[in-house]
Amino acid sequence: MNYGKKGSKKRQAELTSKGIMYGKKMRVIFCKVLLVCCFAVAIIGGSLGFGVYKGILDSAPSIDDIDATPTGYLTTVLDNQGNEIATLVASGSNRKNVTIDEIPINLQHAFVALEDSRFYEHNGIDLTGIIRAGVTGIASGGNFSQGASTITQQLLKNTVFTEWTSETSFIDKLERKIQEQYLAVQLEKKVSKNWIMENYLNAINLGQNTLGVAVASERYFGKDVSELTLSECAVLAAITQNPSRFNPISNPEKNAERRMKVLNNMLKQEFITQSEYDEAVADNVYDRIQLVNVELQDNGINSYFIDELTDQVIRDLVEQKGYTETQAYKTLYQSGLTIYSTQDMDIQNIADEEVNNQDNYTSSPKVSFSYRVSIRSTDGSVKNYSEQTMLSYYKNKDNPNFKSTNYSINFASEEDADAAIEQYKADIMQEGDEIVDGSETVIYTLQPQTSLTVIDQSTGEVKAIVGGRGDKAASKTLNRATDTTRQPGSTFKILASYSAALDAGGLTLASVQDDAPYTYAGANGKSVSNYDKRYRGFTTLREAITDSINIVTVKTLAQVGVSLGWQYVQEYGFTTVDSRDMNEALALGGITQGVSNLELTAAYAAIANQGTYIKPKFYTKILDHDGNVLIDNTTPESHTVIKDTTAWLLTSAMEDVMTSGTGTSAYFGSSMAQAGKSGTTTSSRDALFAGYTPYYTCAVWGGYDDNAMQKGSDTNYPKRIWKAVMKRIHENLAYKDFTKPSGIVAVAVCKESGKLPIEGVCDHDPRGNCVITEYFAQGTEPTEYCDHHTVANICTASNMLAGSYCPAETVTTGVYVIGGTETTEDAPYLLTDAFLSQTCTVHNEFNSTYTGTNSFPGSTGVNPIGADPAGDAATPDASTTTTDPNTTTDPAATTDQSVDGQ
């Protein structure tokens, strides 16, 4: 480098030259412009940033418009005594609201100590916490996992910014965070710290589908939140950062670590003393949590009663409130309703115990199953199979593996059921076939099954319901009391035939039908038979009810009209009986779809309620979350089916069923008046007993789910269950008799005709006195005299009616039956039309020296009804009509006891 004089001058000239000076000037200008631009960019950027920030704030909801209280509450169901029996909850609504006064101070401080130590000092934003979290994040290499949200911000996040879980970008998160902080400050200006704490603790997610400390306390500790200890408070506070990771049931070790942090923070922040800390640390809290969890798992399945209750509530919300199905569902499971149910837990427990008491069943329990499997063939096609396809397969006569048309899937054990399933798979699978992974399931069910309903007939309130025997595996499983329909058998006789006959058909309990061979009306009519194969001859309706006589029942319906009987069935509230059932088989319960146990019980409850039907109900009222009445269900939905006098007469006849008829094994003694009717169906596939006392009505059904046959000797269990349940229900209730309405009179009648008796005739039937006392609705009592008895003179020489030439020593006089059928049990005492048309052929004017006396009418051997054989006319005594049933034979005393099972 040249530093001489000459070099310096040269350098100076270069620096002062025009070009160089211009360049320098331009550089200075550029730097100034650049500086101005930087300032402009900063100003513009700041303005833009402020504008964005202001835009974010402007887009935030107004503090006056937001509701920071938690939404989505569980629904509580109460029994008839006001005790909680169930909670109904959907995801996001398992919450109960509690006030700050009900939340222990230790629980409040536990959350403050862990989540927001300056909660009581800051204005909604904790700047110190934000700086701490930032420094910690930078120091850890960019891991900003330490939170800086205050409890106020978390409350807003859980109640206002509920879509935060769907944020997909940093911008979304930043926007929400800014709005959250802004509203936190605004909220703190508007409400108190206690208000924020109360709603925060009601809103937070604490795992196991629990929202808020009230439900979490019950879920983990089985106690009210106000009863929590310091140790238990620390457990709940430890959950909130990550409810899955710190779940005290599934991850007790992780929760225990964080619980210690809670207690340490509480001690450090002087919320607790050292002695309190030591006691909490020493507490073996997690063993208690596991015990409560086991208990809750056992009780977590809704009962059959609750299942049906929820269906009725949703139906009523749709029909009465105009909700859609979706709205009704959300209201029920997410709106925090309080439902006052009609369930009586004492009665329910009794019903559950007796249905599941093996002592009430004569045969050993069997096992059936619900089966599903998908099989892929070699060509790739997939077919689905079930227990129903299995039944069809083995019942098909064209199948080479046909077993029997009566094949059933009821086995002695689960092992036998498994063996049958394996055999079925072997029979249907071809070489190369394979079972689709995960498609095969089997659920075992105890058999035979049972259903039961108890109703208070005076209100229509359902007190108990049992939808099946054995353990209930889940909520909303098959409810055999409400969801299935089965044939009602002889229980339908009262409803379809005798109600119509006595109420509007012009018949009485004394009316008679000839129990003789009968064929259903129609071209393809089948013959009707009685369960005991007997034909009794003339039989009163009372006797037919008591002994469950099929032929008399069918003839009665035929006489009054099938359409009339069908109309009464409709009035009894059956929704599954339609026009296809308008035939004579209706009298015996032979209907297309069958009926549910619930509807059968409600129909009998109508008779027990003096003829007034009340639609069965499972709740009395529903309150919304704020305590306002949403639905008032206290007013009964009712209508009259039969007159009160008809109801009492049917009850009187069914009392005989219990004491001397087919229901004797259901009778639980004279401590309470009781009436009922038994029923079985073809091959004993269904067995039933429906009956009532002045307090309650109960119906029990029993049978196999696959409709398999039962042995007749094994079908008595519905009666034993009815007896056991009703006896226990009434143990502490005062004796009551069925109230007799005004307008009931008692009249002496002849049971062979149902008409007024002829003195000296009806009471001289060779089988015994046929005069009984029967009850009538006033105005329906008979006015005519017996036309089924007669006095006849028989010549012993010819065994024919005596003529005027028969000697007195060959003539006998007796009381006989007329108008009957020779193939019945009346036959030995019957004078047929053919017999009556001829007189003695042995004695006549040519072979007899006897010319007759005044002892006999001129040419006949039959005395006119009421005539004295000696020739003095006998006039029926009007005094045989009486209102005192004790003046002659009681109706119940004249019925023959029948075997059980009908």
Side-chain angles (χ1 to χ4, degrees):
M1 188 173 287
N2 187 0
Y3 292 106
K5 189 180 225 185
K6 186 178 177 180
S8 297
K9 286 183 177 182
K10 185 179 178 181
R11 179 62 179 162
Q12 187 176 3
E14 290 175 353
L15 292 172
T16 56
S17 68
K18 264 186 183 180
I20 292 172
M21 292 297 291
Y22 179 77
K24 290 175 64 177
K25 186 176 181 179
M26 291 303 295
R27 284 195 293 271
V28 170
I29 292 171
F30 175 77
C31 289
K32 288 181 178 179
V33 171
L34 182 63
L35 186 60
V36 170
C37 288
C38 288
F39 277 116
V41 168
I43 292 171
I44 293 171
S47 298
L48 288 173
F50 177 76
V52 170
Y53 180 77
K54 189 174 186 303
I56 291 174
L57 295 185
D58 289 343
S59 65
S62 169
I63 189 65
D64 295 323
D65 295 334
I66 67 169
D67 182 3
T69 58
T71 59
Y73 291 92
L74 62 81
T75 288
T76 301
V77 182
L78 309 177
D79 66 11
N80 67 335
Q81 299 299 315
N83 302 310
E84 181 180 309
I85 54 174
T87 54
L88 308 175
V89 59
S91 178
S93 61
N94 191 14
R95 177 187 288 111
K96 279 185 178 179
N97 189 68
V98 287
T99 64
I100 194 68
D101 295 335
E102 299 173 275
I103 302 172
I105 193 64
N106 278 337
L107 185 58
Q108 300 174 46
H109 289 165
F111 279 92
V112 170
L114 186 65
E115 296 292 319
D116 188 2
S117 60
R118 280 171 288 279
F119 171 71
Y120 295 110
E121 303 164 10
H122 63 62
N123 66 343
I125 301 174
D126 184 8
L127 294 177
T128 303
I130 294 173
I131 295 171
R132 183 201 69 239
V135 172
T136 303
I138 294 172
S140 61
N143 180 13
F144 294 91
S145 60
Q146 189 174 97
S149 293
T150 63
I151 283 177
T152 311
Q153 287 177 255
Q154 292 181 48
L155 170 62
L156 291 167
K157 179 180 176 181
N158 288 326
T159 58
V160 178
F161 300 100
T162 55
E163 301 298 320
W164 65 271
T165 55
S166 61
E167 293 171 351
T168 58
S169 67
F170 173 76
I171 297 300
D172 291 338
K173 183 176 182 179
L174 178 63
E175 180 180 351
R176 187 259 304 165
K177 217 42 165 165
I178 292 172
Q179 292 180 345
E180 191 180 275
Q181 291 174 345
Y182 166 73
L183 288 176
V185 174
Q186 300 303 312
L187 184 63
E188 292 256 5
K189 294 176 182 178
K190 185 177 180 181
V191 299
S192 68
K193 290 287 186 179
N194 275 350
W195 188 96
I196 293 170
M197 178 61 70
E198 175 183 306
N199 285 280
Y200 167 73
L201 293 177
N202 279 318
I204 50 175
N205 179 6
L206 291 170
Q208 296 293 129
N209 191 30
T210 63
L211 297 174
V213 293
V215 174
S217 175
E218 294 175 355
R219 177 62 184 87
Y220 295 118
F221 305 109
K223 62 169 68 173
D224 188 84
V225 65
S226 63
E227 301 172 355
L228 292 179
T229 65
L230 170 60
S231 173
E232 293 163 345
C233 291
V235 169
L236 293 187
I239 298 172
T240 185
Q241 185 185 59
N242 190 323
S244 177
R245 184 182 182 191
F246 298 118
N247 187 306
I249 294 173
S250 56
N251 294 307
E253 297 84 4
K254 292 292 184 182
N255 182 275
E257 292 176 8
R258 193 158 176 81
R259 170 175 165 269
M260 285 304 301
K261 182 176 181 180
V262 174
L263 292 172
N264 287 331
N265 285 6
M266 293 182 75
L267 181 63
K268 182 179 179 180
Q269 295 169 33
E270 298 182 351
F271 285 130
I272 57 175
T273 65
Q274 184 66 48
S275 60
E276 290 173 325
Y277 172 87
D278 293 340
E279 181 181 354
V281 169
D283 181 28
N284 191 9
V285 65
Y286 296 98
D287 284 351
R288 294 201 304 279
I289 291 174
Q290 292 300 328
L291 288 174
V292 171
N293 184 52
V294 170
E295 180 181 344
L296 288 176
Q297 285 178 336
D298 291 340
N299 296 330
I301 298 169
N302 284 337
S303 68
Y304 291 110
F305 187 98
I306 298 300
D307 284 349
E308 180 60 24
L309 168 71
T310 58
D311 289 344
Q312 190 171 104
V313 169
I314 288 177
R315 186 164 56 247
D316 289 349
L317 287 172
V318 171
E319 294 177 358
Q320 297 184 31
K321 308 300 290 186
Y323 292 10
T324 65
E325 290 279 351
T326 300
Q327 290 171 331
Y329 180 89
K330 287 184 177 180
T331 300
L332 176 60
Y333 289 98
Q334 299 179 14
S335 296
L337 306 179
T338 300
I339 302 175
Y340 289 80
S341 83
T342 60
Q343 188 174 33
D344 186 313
M345 289 308 300
D346 290 335
I347 296 178
Q348 184 66 63
N349 290 334
I350 290 171
D352 289 334
E353 290 168 10
E354 295 301 339
V355 165
N356 289 286
N357 183 358
Q358 181 57 38
D359 292 342
N360 289 323
Y361 300 83
T362 54
S363 59
S364 299
K366 293 185 177 181
V367 173
S368 69
F369 51 82
S370 173
Y371 179 64
R372 299 291 183 274
V373 68
S374 299
I375 297 177
R376 182 182 292 110
S377 301
T378 53
D379 63 2
S381 62
V382 175
K383 289 185 178 180
N384 300 315
Y385 298 87
S386 69
E387 77 281 357
Q388 293 302 319
T389 62
M390 182 175 176
L391 280 167
S392 300
Y393 180 78
Y394 288 127
K395 287 182 176 182
N396 183 1
K397 292 182 178 180
D398 298 329
N399 171 21
N401 294 312
F402 167 74
K403 292 184 181 295
S404 168
T405 55
N406 292 320
Y407 177 79
S408 77
I409 54 170
N410 302 297
F411 300 92
S413 66
E414 291 185 9
E415 291 74 19
D416 290 347
D418 288 338
I421 292 172
E422 292 302 315
Q423 183 60 53
Y424 176 55
K425 289 189 293 184
D427 288 341
I428 62 175
M429 292 179 70
Q430 304 296 319
E431 185 176 352
D433 289 355
E434 60 181 15
I435 294 175
V436 177
D437 288 344
S439 70
E440 188 173 19
T441 61
V442 86
I443 300 174
Y444 302 101
T445 307
L446 199 64
Q447 298 291 341
Q449 271 298 326
T450 307
S451 65
L452 176 150
T453 305
V454 178
I455 292 178
D456 179 344
Q457 60 260 19
S458 65
T459 62
E461 295 181 0
V462 178
K463 295 302 179 184
I465 198 166
V466 180
R469 177 187 178 198
D471 294 332
K472 191 171 187 285
S475 298
K476 294 295 183 182
T477 54
L478 177 65
N479 189 336
R480 295 168 185 82
T482 60
D483 299 339
T484 62
T485 56
R486 299 291 291 246
Q487 297 298 315
S490 295
T491 60
F492 231 52
K493 292 175 178 178
I494 301 294
L495 310 171
S497 183
Y498 296 117
S499 289
L502 270 60
D503 202 60
L507 302 182
T508 70
L509 287 178
S511 297
V512 299
Q513 300 286 357
D514 190 7
D515 181 21
Y518 182 79
T519 301
Y520 284 120
N524 299 316
K526 294 173 57 179
S527 61
V528 184
S529 61
N530 296 322
Y531 74 93
D532 55 5
K533 309 304 179 184
R534 291 172 58 191
Y535 297 109
R536 292 166 173 78
F538 290 123
T539 305
T540 66
L541 300 196
R542 178 185 286 274
E543 290 175 310
I545 292 172
T546 302
D547 288 341
S548 198
I549 303 174
N550 294 340
I551 293 172
V552 173
T553 307
V554 175
K555 282 188 171 183
T556 298
L557 181 61
Q559 180 177 342
V560 302
V562 171
S563 60
L564 181 63
W566 186 86
Q567 180 182 337
Y568 273 84
V569 168
Q570 297 295 307
E571 290 296 307
Y572 274 121
F574 290 102
T575 59
T576 55
V577 179
D578 57 36
S579 58
R580 293 172 296 174
D581 303 314
M582 202 177 293
N583 53 68
E584 290 180 0
L586 178 70
L588 305 183
I591 52 183
T592 308
Q593 296 185 62
V595 300
S596 72
N597 179 279
L598 174 63
E599 290 189 349
L600 181 65
T601 309
Y604 268 76
I607 303 173
N609 192 39
Q610 291 83 50
T612 299
Y613 172 87
I614 301 178
K615 184 178 179 180
K617 58 186 176 184
F618 287 75
Y619 71 92
T620 55
K621 64 179 176 180
I622 302 174
L623 305 184
D624 65 17
H625 179 61
D626 297 321
N628 302 310
V629 176
L630 182 62
I631 295 181
D632 185 343
N633 199 34
T634 54
T635 302
E637 187 177 333
S638 63
H639 61 266
T640 299
V641 181
I642 54 177
K643 297 185 284 288
D644 59 351
T645 51
T646 304
W648 188 88
L649 292 170
L650 290 172
T651 297
S652 175
M654 287 190 282
E655 286 183 280
D656 290 352
V657 172
M658 304 289 289
T659 56
S660 60
T662 58
T664 53
S665 57
Y667 185 63
F668 61 85
S670 58
S671 59
M672 186 66 61
Q674 50 202 288
K677 184 72 186 71
S678 55
T680 54
T681 60
T682 303
S683 300
S684 299
R685 297 178 191 274
D686 302 278
L688 307 96
F689 193 84
Y692 50 90
T693 69
Y695 290 98
Y696 298 110
T697 303
C698 175
V700 182
W701 165 87
Y704 287 107
D705 281 338
D706 65 353
N707 205 31
M709 295 187 298
Q710 301 182 89
K711 293 180 180 179
S713 59
D714 293 339
T715 59
N716 211 32
Y717 59 91
K719 298 174 190 174
R720 285 194 290 271
I721 292 172
W722 192 95
K723 175 181 180 178
V725 170
M726 295 294 270
K727 181 179 181 180
R728 292 178 62 185
I729 288 174
H730 292 82
E731 279 179 350
N732 297 315
L733 297 177
Y735 174 84
K736 277 188 181 181
D737 201 351
F738 296 110
T739 303
K740 183 192 292 186
S742 60
I744 294 291
V745 296
V747 176
V749 297
C750 174
K751 69 174 183 176
E752 281 293 299
S753 63
K755 298 181 179 181
L756 297 174
I758 301 170
E759 187 176 7
V761 179
C762 298
D763 52 357
H764 282 71
D765 187 291
R767 293 164 294 186
N769 186 0
C770 286
V771 180
I772 61 171
T773 296
E774 186 54 88
Y775 297 104
F776 298 86
Q778 196 163 26
T780 66
E781 59 268 43
T783 57
E784 298 177 350
Y785 287 89
C786 176
D787 54 3
H788 285 165
H789 276 124
T790 189
V791 176
N793 303 312
I794 306 297
C795 178
T796 57
S798 62
N799 285 323
M800 301 175 70
L801 286 178
S804 58
Y805 294 99
C806 295
E809 63 271 15
T810 67
V811 176
T812 61
T813 301
V815 175
Y816 294 90
V817 176
I818 56 174
T821 304
E822 291 184 80
T823 55
T824 70
E825 294 173 10
D826 279 338
Y829 319 99
L830 181 68
L831 298 184
T832 65
D833 290 342
F835 187 91
L836 292 171
S837 66
Q838 302 178 44
T839 57
C840 177
T841 57
V842 174
H843 303 108
N844 53 55
E845 60 180 319
F846 303 106
N847 61 13
S848 176
T849 59
Y850 185 69
T851 58
T853 68
N854 291 334
S855 297
F856 305 101
S859 62
T860 179
V862 179
N863 286 300
I865 292 177
D868 185 283
D872 297 325
T875 302
D877 186 356
S879 66
T880 57
T881 299
T882 177
T883 58
D884 183 2
N886 296 315
T887 59
T888 184
T889 311
D890 185 80
T894 65
T895 59
D896 296 326
Q897 182 169 331
S898 176
V899 298
D900 297 332
Q902 303 306 310

